[in-house]
Amino acid sequence: MKKQQQNDGKRKGIIVAHYGVAVDVLFADSGEQSMVRVKRNSGHVVGDNVEVEDEVLNRLERQSELCRMDARGGIHIVGANLDVLCIVVTCEPMSSPGFIDRAIVASRAANLTPVLVMNKSDLDCFKSYYKSVQPIFKDSVELFSVSAETGINLHALEDFFSEGHRGIFVGSTGVGKSSILNKMLPNINLSTGEISETKKRGRHTTTVSTLHMLPRGGELVDSPGFNDFGLVDTTIAELATFFPGFEKAVELPCKFRDCKHREEPDCSVTELVEEGEISRERYQTYLQILTEVEMIEAEPKFRERRHRRKKN
Ligand SMILES: Nc1nc2c(ncn2[C@@H]2O[C@H](COP(=O)(O)OP(=O)(O)OP(=O)(O)O)[C@@H](O)[C@H]2O)c(=O)[nH]1
Ligand SMILES: [Mg+2]
């Protein structure tokens, strides 16, 4: 690449950390990391492929982009150029209801493969939590039950990533995202935080996303914890298609092509609910998220955003 630098003066690399006014770039030629200044709110994220010339950083086109909306309507790019979303959950602290569903839908809508990482399998509360979550998602996504504390089953996650995936850990603060990475890569020493005794919550220890190369292949991004996974880039039609547990139903035809699976006649989803193939609880979760997606879709700023994305 030294040669390439002489040829065109541009060095290719990938953003491995983002610190507001500077990004850490891992250069493909030398394998070295160095900081490059960027404007605040430049819109770059970890995973972005870049070209650097005379300290000026140019972002290359993204292959994928995963976005979410927070509770206040702000849009965040979770990561770029990823192919896997690792949804990390545990019994303490427990994620907000519907977090896993929203994350799976967002992931599928962005063309990423969602996987569920259930951490802290060493805790007493884990068994019953696993029993309540595993049956819901087992047929929809690959599931890893692990412990960062004991290291159990982390090899399965490493095997999966060694196929060459680039994934990101997302989940509430305190579920153990950084701890899992520390166990997989003992030299990186990411900060981890205690769970508050009274509130049983994490402390938002990780504040910036960082990308790490795994020893047996693949890459993983550690990210700051969050609870809100507003489906900013999911259409109403996509919601039912990607909702975990509706896979069989959406293969069957409904009377109306634009059926929202609410009160329309001859609807394949509500028929499966009546037959008990889809539980009423799961169906209620779908209806709740549907209302949210309708509200987001009705907002002009989000409609325009979708329109722009569809054109690109
Ligand atoms: N018992 C047990 N504790 C764990 C495990 N994994 C993480 N912890 C603990 O959970 C707490 C939070 O872990 P972190 O790794 O900081 O969690 P995080 O998801 O990175 O949190 P944020 O960076 O705030 O989003 C720490 O006290 C860890 O020691 C586990 O497998 N078992
Ligand atoms: Mg962390």
Side-chain angles (χ1 to χ4, degrees):
M1 181 77 178
K2 279 252 161 59
K3 220 182 260 166
Q4 186 184 335
Q5 197 184 345
Q6 281 161 11
N7 287 345
D8 57 13
K10 289 177 186 165
R11 297 181 75 195
K12 285 202 162 115
I14 174 174
I15 297 181
V16 292
H18 195 306
Y19 302 99
V21 292
V23 292
D24 215 351
V25 177
L26 175 65
F27 287 100
D29 54 354
S30 57
E32 282 167 13
Q33 264 176 237
S34 57
M35 289 281 195
V36 181
R37 291 178 72 85
V38 290
K39 285 193 184 126
R40 193 171 282 285
N41 302 325
S42 60
H44 299 109
V45 293
V46 166
D48 268 332
N49 293 315
V50 295
E51 273 177 354
V52 181
E53 186 177 18
D54 298 330
E55 288 297 301
V56 177
L57 182 138
N58 190 14
R59 177 168 71 78
L60 303 177
E61 202 183 329
R62 288 178 180 149
Q63 303 300 310
S64 75
E65 189 181 272
L66 180 71
C67 290
R68 70 176 181 97
M69 190 178 73
D70 65 24
R72 286 179 296 182
I75 296 175
H76 301 264
I77 303 173
V78 178
N81 301 323
L82 305 162
D83 69 330
V84 169
L85 181 72
C86 288
I87 307 156
V88 186
V89 294
T90 184
C91 53
E92 195 178 290
M94 233 189 257
S95 302
S96 52
F99 182 86
I100 302 174
D101 298 296
R102 289 177 182 83
I104 290 175
V105 171
S107 173
R108 288 173 167 170
N111 252 329
L112 271 60
T113 303
V115 302
L116 192 55
V117 179
M118 300 186 70
N119 188 34
K120 308 197 187 184
S121 63
D122 57 292
L123 292 183
D124 290 343
C125 58
F126 186 84
K127 222 175 179 177
S128 63
Y129 180 67
Y130 182 85
K131 267 194 189 159
S132 66
V133 172
Q134 188 263 5
I136 301 174
F137 298 105
K138 70 175 179 13
D139 296 329
S140 300
V141 295
E142 192 154 351
L143 203 148
F144 298 90
S145 149
V146 303
S147 165
E149 181 74 20
T150 65
I152 196 160
N153 260 347
L154 289 182
H155 65 90
L157 206 53
E158 287 166 357
D159 285 348
F160 175 82
F161 275 95
S162 69
E163 291 166 14
H165 298 295
R166 181 187 290 166
I168 184 167
F169 278 163
V170 297
S172 308
T173 172
V175 293
K177 302 176 291 298
S178 306
S179 302
I180 298 174
L181 266 161
N182 279 343
K183 196 75 176 181
M184 286 166 123
L185 292 158
N187 295 330
I188 58 173
N189 209 4
L190 297 168
S191 301
T192 61
E194 292 299 311
I195 304 295
S196 125
E197 268 305 310
T198 44
K199 294 186 180 157
K200 302 284 178 209
R201 281 201 220 121
R203 298 173 190 269
H204 293 283
T205 309
T206 303
T207 52
V208 294
S209 295
T210 49
L211 184 144
H212 307 273
M213 311 288 162
L214 300 174
R216 292 203 283 120
E219 295 155 37
L220 251 170
V221 177
D222 185 26
S223 77
F226 63 85
N227 286 320
D228 301 297
F229 216 130
L231 296 174
V232 74
D233 287 332
T234 306
T235 62
I236 290 169
E238 282 172 336
L239 174 62
T241 310
F242 297 141
F243 189 77
F246 279 19
E247 290 88 352
K248 188 173 153 194
V250 292
E251 274 176 18
L252 305 168
C254 290
K255 181 172 179 181
F256 298 111
R257 270 188 59 201
D258 60 351
C259 185
K260 292 182 186 171
H261 317 298
R262 217 183 232 129
E263 280 156 2
E264 297 89 339
D266 296 333
C267 162
S268 61
V269 171
T270 47
E271 271 168 23
L272 288 183
V273 176
E274 289 303 321
E275 288 164 18
E277 289 251 354
I278 294 173
S279 76
R280 290 197 182 271
E281 209 180 345
R282 296 296 299 145
Y283 182 57
Q284 283 307 320
T285 305
Y286 163 76
L287 291 179
Q288 199 182 334
I289 301 177
L290 173 63
T291 306
E292 278 168 30
V293 170
E294 283 174 328
M295 272 158 53
I296 294 171
E297 215 168 78
E299 272 212 40
K301 72 171 177 183
F302 296 127
R303 252 205 320 268
E304 279 161 29
R305 178 187 154 82
R306 269 201 198 115
H307 196 66
R308 268 199 318 273
R309 283 170 61 81
K310 287 260 145 55
K311 277 205 302 197
N312 292 335

